Amino acid sequence: MMRARARARQLALGATAAALVAGVAGCGEGTQSAEPSAVTTEGSTSSPASTPTTSSAPATSKSTKPGDDNKGGGETALCKTGDLALSLGRGDAAAGTAHKPLQFTNISDGPCVIQGFPGVSYVAGEDGHQVGPAAYREGEKGAPVTLRKGEVAHAPVGFVQVRNYEPAECEPQPVRGLRVYPPQETDSMFIELDRTGCASEEIPGHQLVVRTIEKGSG
């Protein structure tokens, strides 16, 4: 009898222990917090990619070079030799020095700028050789003159009456016209003018005097 009771008590203790183990295991399920796992997709990185920023300077407008037609809205081009027509105004007829306006007319399709002193000299013969010194530049260089199509600028030119010089010091020679270089140009122009020039480089004074370009026909 005593053995049967001891056996029953042992079985009861075993069942209680099993129940406790099961309860502990059950309490652990559902209460454990798992660490979140980082999810990486293809093409993504753990930190957001920074978008590069570039500060670009505003585009500058194209400036027009000499000879351009200024359609780009930049600076007006310098007047080239091919943009101009040359003429000689009436002026006056003084006994010592005659003054006449050397006129430049813009014959191009757009505006151009002319500024400074033209190069002026007498020429003679079929070869157009220069006679005597080129015109002396008198006064200050003037401001730029903008010529629209058909507009005129002029440079006053003084023509000394070379017959007032001694022939030995003048070495007078017939000339057939003027060779003219527009300001800042290397291509020349020609205008007919029947006069007498001094071939000598040693004359007192200047047989030709030119002043800076001015607006208008003179």
Side-chain angles (χ1 to χ4, degrees):
M1 178 67 69
M2 292 181 64
R3 281 186 182 179
R5 289 179 178 176
R7 179 63 178 169
R9 186 177 180 182
Q10 186 176 5
L11 291 173
L13 290 173
T16 301
L20 289 174
V21 171
V24 171
C27 289
E29 292 180 3
T31 59
Q32 183 179 1
S33 60
E35 291 291 332
S37 60
V39 179
T40 304
T41 59
E42 185 177 357
S44 68
T45 59
S46 57
S47 61
S50 59
T51 304
T53 59
T54 56
S55 59
S56 57
T60 56
S61 60
K62 180 181 177 182
S63 61
T64 306
K65 298 179 181 178
D68 289 346
D69 60 4
N70 196 33
K71 293 180 180 178
E75 295 180 359
T76 304
L78 294 175
C79 296
K80 310 293 285 183
T81 299
D83 298 330
L84 302 168
L86 186 64
S87 57
L88 193 62
R90 295 179 63 86
D92 59 35
T97 302
H99 295 88
K100 297 179 183 294
L102 188 61
Q103 300 163 336
F104 299 89
T105 302
N106 181 4
I107 58 173
S108 70
D109 291 331
C112 65
V113 171
I114 189 167
Q115 180 185 16
F117 298 90
V120 182
S121 58
Y122 284 133
V123 292
E126 292 300 321
D127 59 351
H129 64 272
Q130 182 170 319
V131 176
Y136 174 77
R137 296 179 176 183
E138 183 179 72
E140 299 291 329
K141 179 181 179 180
V145 175
T146 300
L147 296 179
R148 300 187 181 277
K149 182 177 181 179
E151 291 185 333
V152 182
H154 75 280
V157 178
F159 301 85
V160 171
Q161 179 54 263
V162 299
R163 286 181 294 187
N164 294 335
Y165 291 120
E166 292 292 333
E169 62 185 8
C170 173
E171 300 176 15
Q173 180 179 338
V175 299
R176 65 184 184 92
L178 299 173
R179 178 183 292 123
V180 177
Y181 290 91
Q184 306 177 60
E185 264 292 79
T186 57
D187 292 331
S188 65
M189 311 173 77
F190 173 79
I191 186 167
E192 290 187 7
L193 181 66
D194 292 328
R195 289 185 68 88
T196 300
C198 290
S200 173
E201 298 283 339
E202 306 298 329
I203 60 172
H206 312 285
Q207 66 174 346
L208 291 169
V209 177
V210 64
R211 296 183 64 87
T212 192
I213 293 284
E214 302 174 31
K215 185 78 172 182
S217 61

